[in-house]
Amino acid sequence: MKPIENTMSTAFETRPLRSLSLMQRLLRQHPEENAIIEVNNLLANRPIRTITRHDLTDIEQRYGFPLSRFMLNLEEFYAVHLNYKLSDKQLGTDGLSDLEHLRTLFNLPPSTVEMLHAQIGKLAYKQRAEDAIKDGHISETDKVALSALQQLIPIPVDLTDSIYKEVCQDHLNKLAQKYSFNARISPEEEHKILTVSKNLGTKLSANTRRHMERYMRYWAIENSDLPVIEVAITLQKLEVCHYQASDVQWFEERVTVRRTNYTDHFEHRKTLDVVDLTSNVLHNHQDTFDIIKLISSGSLYVTNKRLIFESPNKTTSIKIDSIIQVKAYKQGILIDKVTGKSMLLLINRDSDTLTLICRRLLTLKSSF
């Protein structure tokens, strides 16, 4: 007869028995919880397959009740051993024999065993899949190992496929987040992300792709030649247009107004709600406040030489050299000039692109 190998599980640790109370000593009773502690200690100190039904019956006779009273604990013992074997990659023939022995020993229902395998096996498969693709690709060896694990536990194929896709998607999204930590993605970083996407056979989520495209655009504006677009307006010699937007609103801070009553105060403020993203009302003294007034609405053009604001009434031109700085807001930009009042330009979209183009132009001008 082949001897039983020492497959004692290190997943369990010996626990001390609960002390008897005075009443239990007088009545010669044992604390009930000591029964399940004794089972734990058997698992901690003996090879799994050397523990027999006789050992459990001996415990039941000493305590005067069946161990099925602690069925949840017995299920937990099985789950702990299964998880230990999976995490330590020891679920081979011996590991399966240990589990089969525990199932029989504890008289666990098949439905319970199936449920535990599904729950714990899912976590183990996910961990193995994460380890397999951590370098951005999966080898044939890892594919075989994952398939073997799926069959060994077993886990339904549709579940493992879903887990693998989720793991790959998460890995790819985290890689994109890593490269875009500064809201910029270079062509080299984009290439790395797309290579991993191809290796894993996984596409970026729509949300991650949108962010990537925005950060790639930011990088290009700051590091490549600015985009040149054709426009209908007349430009100067050697002047090219880099940005155009319609339905732009031009606001400026206006003179201080003395507040005479609440009605008057409201009349001055009611048109300013559109610029709620800025400090549209700047309180100064006891009964005065500044207002921001709509100057005009029209189209904005940004060229290598100037900002051009074209409205039905007139066209205003601001040289790039006359701009001190550009401040970004959620819906527009604030332009501080060397002379004159600052301009708050509100646009419907792409205010981030407008800000970066203006800042790049200022940088280019200052370098000459």
Side-chain angles (χ1 to χ4, degrees), residues 79-300:
V80 167
H81 190 68
L82 171 62
N83 185 62
Y84 169 73
K85 289 296 183 181
L86 285 172
S87 61
D88 210 33
K89 299 182 180 180
Q90 296 181 2
L91 195 61
T93 303
D94 288 338
L96 289 174
S97 297
D98 284 352
L99 291 170
E100 178 62 34
H101 187 71
L102 287 177
R103 283 200 294 267
T104 304
L105 198 63
F106 296 155
N107 195 26
L108 299 179
S111 59
T112 297
V113 172
E114 184 178 340
M115 178 269 294
L116 292 174
H117 276 244
Q119 291 182 348
I120 298 172
K122 183 169 70 172
L123 295 176
Y125 188 90
K126 182 178 180 180
Q127 182 61 56
R128 296 276 187 92
E130 289 173 344
D131 291 341
I133 68 164
K134 63 183 178 182
D135 295 326
H137 64 86
I138 182 167
S139 66
E140 288 302 319
T141 302
D142 285 327
K143 288 181 181 179
V144 171
L146 285 173
S147 178
L149 177 62
Q150 177 269 323
Q151 297 177 42
L152 194 62
I153 298 177
I155 315 173
V157 175
D158 57 345
L159 177 59
T160 56
D161 287 347
S162 175
I163 293 171
Y164 182 76
K165 289 178 182 178
E166 178 186 333
V167 166
C168 290
Q169 182 78 69
D170 187 55
H171 177 87
L172 190 59
N173 288 341
K174 286 181 178 178
L175 183 66
Q177 292 171 8
K178 171 187 173 182
Y179 283 130
S180 60
F181 76 97
N182 62 346
R184 305 292 186 274
I185 293 181
S186 68
E188 180 184 359
E189 291 167 337
E190 180 199 12
H191 176 71
K192 291 179 180 178
I193 294 170
L194 295 180
T195 298
V196 171
S197 175
K198 181 179 179 181
N199 290 341
L200 298 180
T202 304
K203 293 182 179 180
L204 290 159
S205 67
N207 186 55
T208 300
R209 185 69 204 181
R210 281 194 299 271
H211 282 88
M212 267 191 64
E213 290 172 351
R214 180 192 302 173
Y215 300 151
M216 288 159 55
R217 186 170 68 246
Y218 290 174
W219 188 95
I221 291 173
E222 294 176 341
N223 297 277
S224 303
D225 293 334
L226 288 173
V228 175
I229 59 175
E230 296 292 330
V231 290
I233 64 172
T234 302
L235 300 177
Q236 300 172 357
K237 185 178 180 180
L238 301 179
E239 184 178 26
V240 292
C241 186
H242 300 301
Y243 179 92
Q244 186 270 330
S246 57
D247 298 326
V248 179
Q249 293 179 305
W250 169 9
F251 288 85
E252 285 184 4
E253 185 178 302
R254 279 322 197 198
V255 295
T256 300
V257 178
R258 181 172 296 278
R259 182 175 63 196
T260 56
N261 55 55
Y262 287 103
T263 302
D264 182 47
H265 175 61
F266 175 76
E267 289 299 322
H268 284 291
R269 292 191 59 187
K270 66 181 182 180
T271 60
L272 306 179
D273 294 339
V274 291
V275 290
D276 190 53
L277 57 108
T278 68
S279 299
N280 57 1
V281 177
L282 307 175
H283 290 276
N284 292 332
H285 304 296
Q286 298 175 350
D287 60 349
T288 62
F289 59 95
D290 293 336
I291 63 171
I292 291 178
K293 181 179 179 181
L294 176 63
I295 304 302
S296 185
S297 297
S299 297
L300 174 69

